Amino acid sequence: MKFGVIVFPGSNCDHDAYHVISKHVGQPVDFIWHRDTDLSSYDAVIIPGGFSYGDYLRAGALARFSPVMNSVKKFAESGRFVLGICNGFQILCEAGLLPGALIRNRGLHFICEHVFVRVETGDTPFTNELRRGVVLRVPIAHAEGNYVCDDATLAALKREDRIVFRYTDKDGHATDAANPNGSRENIAGICSRGRNLMGLMPHPERACEDLLGSSDGRDIFRSLAATLAAVA
Amino acid sequence: MKAKVYVTLKPGVLDPQGKAIQHSVELLGFGGIADVRQGKYFEIALDNSLAEDQARESATRMAAEVLSNPIIEDYRVEIEA
């Protein structure tokens, strides 16, 4: 199985993602410059965190016009796996590959801290090694992580079991106090209708080593690796 | 010819920046403010050879496809000769 990490001007979590795939998943991984368009040799691509195009206009808005994004769209349509982390989630929403939008945090601040998220479904390629209800401790680092969508979209996300993570307290209660940014219904991550594309605001790639405060993020990459091993 | 594009948050979309600005101007002593909403304003210089309706169509597409996010924002286009 081969992974790619897409690099936009302004990406800054690309090396973290690369490190996790090479060290913890133990699989080959390449950086993919945003002007490249050939994704044919990859089984999964990660759109990493950062400030693509300096967050100009809106976070993620300009990255969607990079040449690689057309390829990402076809890649996802072909059923291969796409994981958008933080700015990657914002890019996937701006590109229309995931529904909804990420707006300014309700408290205005850039928030950089460890939070708790609850796994809402184990039925995704990214959470199949986890169970619904499991609480993970992972960091967030964003100013625009406030997930918004209209009522019809929210109803569809629920009906189709596409809400993958919610912000909770350490005991797994999705309270308003545990919602760091004002996201609708504490949503921290969602997947596509085909389930092969997921976006989330927390950074699991920064939570793969106890030395960094948590290794809970490894289960997400372990799930993806298990999925890829099963389809190979 | 110039296109002016105003992008504003849809009603109901939280605008914490607008709230912070409102709070600040109220601290300065300005009263009677019901609400402040922050938006974006773009000036796009267009080739003078364009007909006004062509300019409007082009600026409207830019506003719809790039300058605004239709999920959270509305836009308004004005053309100035």
Side-chain angles (χ1 to χ4, degrees), chain A residues 109-161:
Chain A
H109 294 288
F110 186 100
I111 307 169
C112 187
E113 63 187 18
H114 278 74
V115 299
F116 295 96
V117 295
R118 186 179 69 204
V119 177
E120 299 295 273
T121 175
D123 180 22
T124 80
F126 311 92
T127 54
N128 54 23
E129 295 281 300
L130 289 154
R131 284 190 327 281
R132 179 184 160 86
V134 169
V135 176
L136 306 178
R137 184 169 177 269
V138 283
I140 54 169
H142 60 246
E144 284 91 10
N146 181 349
Y147 182 77
V148 296
C149 65
D150 60 24
D151 294 345
T153 302
L154 183 66
L157 288 174
K158 287 180 178 175
R159 192 171 58 240
E160 295 163 6
D161 192 29

Side-chain angles (χ1 to χ4, degrees), chain A residues 5-232:
Chain A
V5 176
I6 295 175
V7 183
F8 295 97
S11 294
N12 67 5
C13 302
D14 41 350
H15 283 265
D16 306 58
Y18 185 101
H19 167 77
V20 165
I21 298 302
S22 57
K23 179 165 179 194
H24 297 296
V25 180
Q27 295 294 333
V29 52
D30 289 337
F31 288 119
I32 303 167
W33 183 234
H34 73 114
R35 290 195 179 284
D36 294 340
T37 53
D38 182 7
L39 302 179
S40 58
S41 63
Y42 302 103
D43 301 296
V45 299
I46 297 172
I47 307 182
F51 298 85
S52 58
Y53 294 88
D55 275 354
Y56 294 169
L57 190 62
R58 297 177 303 279
L62 299 185
R64 93 172 141 110
F65 298 104
S66 276
V68 75
M69 286 308 294
N70 260 333
S71 306
V72 168
K73 197 170 182 175
K74 290 186 193 125
F75 187 82
E77 282 165 2
S78 76
R80 283 173 289 172
F81 303 95
V82 179
L83 173 60
I85 300 168
C86 194
N87 189 224
F89 185 16
Q90 294 164 338
I91 293 168
L92 291 173
C93 286
E94 281 283 344
L97 294 174
L98 287 172
L102 294 145
I103 65 168
R104 194 68 184 251
N105 296 342
R106 65 176 163 189
L108 276 172
H109 294 288
F110 186 100
I111 307 169
C112 187
E113 63 187 18
H114 278 74
V115 299
F116 295 96
V117 295
R118 186 179 69 204
V119 177
E120 299 295 273
T121 175
D123 180 22
T124 80
F126 311 92
T127 54
N128 54 23
E129 295 281 300
L130 289 154
R131 284 190 327 281
R132 179 184 160 86
V134 169
V135 176
L136 306 178
R137 184 169 177 269
V138 283
I140 54 169
H142 60 246
E144 284 91 10
N146 181 349
Y147 182 77
V148 296
C149 65
D150 60 24
D151 294 345
T153 302
L154 183 66
L157 288 174
K158 287 180 178 175
R159 192 171 58 240
E160 295 163 6
D161 192 29
R162 289 166 53 193
I163 299 169
V164 188
F165 296 106
R166 277 196 168 92
Y167 300 106
T168 64
D169 61 21
K170 66 178 171 40
D171 300 316
H173 302 297
T175 61
D176 191 57
N179 186 343
N181 51 31
S183 287
R184 188 153 192 196
E185 294 209 0
N186 289 43
I187 290 173
I190 57 173
C191 69
S192 63
R193 188 167 283 135
R195 314 193 80 76
N196 58 318
L197 188 149
M198 178 173 85
L200 78 170
M201 287 312 296
H203 284 275
E205 84 286 13
R206 293 190 197 171
C208 290
E209 279 139 348
D210 291 334
L211 187 63
L212 298 180
S214 170
S215 56
D216 290 355
R218 283 166 80 160
D219 290 334
I220 292 170
F221 297 100
R222 237 167 23 89
S223 295
L224 181 55
T227 303
L228 291 172
V231 298

